[in-house]
Amino acid sequence: MTMKMLCLVAFIHQDFIVTVCVCVCVCRRSPAINIRSHEFSLVVPDHLKYNQPHLTENSRTDVMTVTPWLAPVVWEGTFNQDVLDSIYKPKNISIAATVFAVGKYTMFLKNFLESAEQHFFVGFRVHMHVFTDQPNEVPKVKMAAGRQVMVHKVPSLNRWQEISARRMKQIQDLIEEKLRGNTDYIFCLDVDSKFHGRWGTESLGRLVTVVHPGYYRDDRSRFPYERRPQSRAYVAPGEGDFYYCGGAYGGLLQEVHQLTKTCNLNFEADAKDGIEAAWQEESHLNRYMWINKPSKVLSPEYLWQDFKPKNPEIRLLRFSGVIKNYADIRPNV
């Protein structure tokens, strides 16, 4: 397929404009990256029956369901899981998830992995990539067919801020060294969290992020963006769409590679100037998403906080940070 033909496909399928362009450019440098057919079409089985959608009816009128740049905002009640699963199941897609358990954070691995087996892309090929400084502490969890835990040893660090900031580089390296050519989507998740409900094909997209549960009702003047112009994570007053979680984001492999590579380069450039962004990787993630708009936004259902009561708009709790004492588990707190 020529570049001209690819651009035509990208024009028709707007959600994959950047993906196609990135894939073509990268493929010329590295033939290991493939363009998969699932990027271009949403095909359902013939004669699949489901409730008729109506343009004059909205299943959710209490929340935003589409962004100003026309990306869907995913809430319970805004999608049909049977339709979505029937589209993606025949494609035999492969999904990677990364999770970091350094120091005392290994205590969260068992609940994370066991609950993921119950709720995270059930019935799909999933590889959980656990980054830890204590491989022997990774629990043995029974996995369904086609699902696997992969353990990667990383060094211990004395500052939790450094652990947070370095995740982008380690995810970038994982994609470059192990995932290219055999993985379609990747999600980067916090280990000190637990799945409570379905997280599945409704979350797939080119570039996907989760709105932070602590700020989704606030004016953006209250968002904890990096406000120093000297930092590459800077978001100026009056700018920004939402405040996104550093603990849950993902998308197509090549898109997340570009995100992590860019954020890591910006972090390292800041470090040379003696600057550390206010919330490390989360600050750089928010700057990146302000410029590079996500193609799908997941509601706070996809990373709630256990200590918070559910607000009325949260109909289904899917993934949530567990209650913990940071002074007990974080170094240098």
Side-chain angles (χ1 to χ4, degrees):
M1 184 179 287
T2 65
M3 173 71 78
K4 183 176 180 181
M5 292 171 67
L6 282 173
C7 288
L8 176 61
V9 174
F11 175 78
I12 294 173
H13 298 276
Q14 296 180 26
D15 192 35
F16 298 101
I17 291 175
V18 177
T19 301
V20 173
C21 294
V22 169
C23 284
V24 173
C25 294
V26 176
C27 280
R28 289 180 175 177
R29 295 197 303 270
S30 175
I33 299 180
N34 298 316
I35 299 175
R36 304 294 184 88
S37 61
H38 74 266
E39 296 177 28
F40 303 120
S41 58
L42 299 176
V43 180
V44 300
D46 198 13
H47 305 303
L48 178 69
K49 290 182 171 56
Y50 54 94
N51 292 337
Q52 177 188 349
H54 293 277
L55 287 176
T56 56
E57 298 177 7
N58 189 349
S59 58
R60 293 294 298 260
T61 58
D62 56 332
V63 291
M64 175 188 284
T65 58
V66 65
T67 69
W69 59 95
L70 300 181
V73 184
V74 182
W75 299 84
E76 176 66 9
T78 62
F79 62 90
N80 185 314
Q81 67 184 50
D82 295 329
V83 174
L84 289 167
D85 287 351
S86 74
I87 291 170
Y88 287 100
K89 277 275 188 166
K91 298 178 185 297
N92 195 30
I93 60 173
S94 176
I95 300 148
T98 63
V99 62
F100 288 75
V102 178
K104 293 182 179 179
Y105 276 78
T106 55
M107 72 173 67
F108 302 110
L109 273 172
K110 189 173 189 293
N111 270 343
F112 176 91
L113 293 172
E114 288 182 346
S115 64
E117 273 300 285
Q118 296 174 348
H119 301 293
F120 185 74
F121 284 99
V122 175
F124 287 83
R125 290 193 295 139
V126 174
H127 287 86
M128 288 286 180
H129 294 268
V130 176
F131 292 80
T132 181
D133 57 344
Q134 304 165 73
N136 292 335
E137 295 299 314
V138 177
K140 303 295 183 184
V141 174
K142 185 178 180 180
M143 310 287 283
R147 300 167 70 92
Q148 191 175 0
V149 173
M150 317 286 287
V151 180
H152 307 273
K153 182 123 176 16
V154 295
S156 301
L157 294 168
N158 294 324
R159 299 178 64 246
W160 69 263
Q161 296 92 338
E162 188 78 1
I163 296 169
S164 169
R166 290 301 176 190
R167 292 196 295 189
M168 290 286 193
K169 172 60 174 169
Q170 289 162 335
I171 294 168
Q172 176 193 340
D173 290 344
L174 175 71
I175 293 172
E176 293 174 354
E177 296 169 8
K178 297 184 182 298
L179 301 187
R180 279 178 169 169
N182 57 48
T183 302
D184 299 296
Y185 294 91
I186 182 170
F187 287 88
C188 311
L189 306 170
D190 270 357
V191 70
D192 53 343
S193 306
K194 182 179 178 179
F195 292 91
H196 298 275
R198 172 193 165 96
W199 180 320
T201 50
E202 76 282 353
S203 68
L204 295 176
R206 175 179 57 79
L207 185 61
V208 181
T209 189
V210 180
V211 179
H212 197 293
Y215 301 97
Y216 75 100
R217 289 182 164 189
D218 290 347
D219 184 83
R220 62 184 173 192
S221 62
R222 294 172 56 87
F223 295 168
Y225 291 139
E226 172 54 60
R227 298 299 191 182
R228 292 170 294 175
Q230 299 88 344
S231 172
R232 278 79 174 174
Y234 175 61
V235 178
E239 296 180 352
D241 298 307
F242 309 102
Y243 189 76
Y244 301 116
C245 295
Y249 58 92
L252 286 169
L253 192 73
Q254 58 266 39
E255 282 291 326
V256 177
H257 176 253
Q258 185 64 33
L259 182 158
T260 54
K261 181 178 180 180
T262 301
C263 290
N264 180 61
L265 287 172
N266 288 335
F267 170 80
E268 291 183 345
D270 269 9
K272 289 179 180 178
D273 292 338
I275 300 172
E276 183 176 83
W279 291 101
Q280 298 81 41
E281 68 165 343
E282 189 170 84
S283 296
H284 287 281
L285 174 77
N286 272 275
R287 166 66 185 180
Y288 186 92
M289 293 291 186
W290 163 236
I291 302 300
N292 303 275
K293 302 299 189 191
S295 64
K296 185 171 287 185
V297 175
L298 304 183
S299 70
E301 297 172 356
Y302 289 82
L303 188 48
W304 195 247
Q305 296 164 315
D306 280 357
F307 66 84
K308 291 169 62 74
K310 282 198 304 180
N311 291 332
E313 59 270 18
I314 306 297
R315 296 182 182 177
L316 178 62
L317 194 62
R318 302 178 187 277
F319 189 53
S320 184
V322 303
I323 296 172
K324 59 263 184 186
N325 184 344
Y326 285 113
D328 289 340
I329 59 175
R330 281 181 172 175
N332 73 287
V333 172

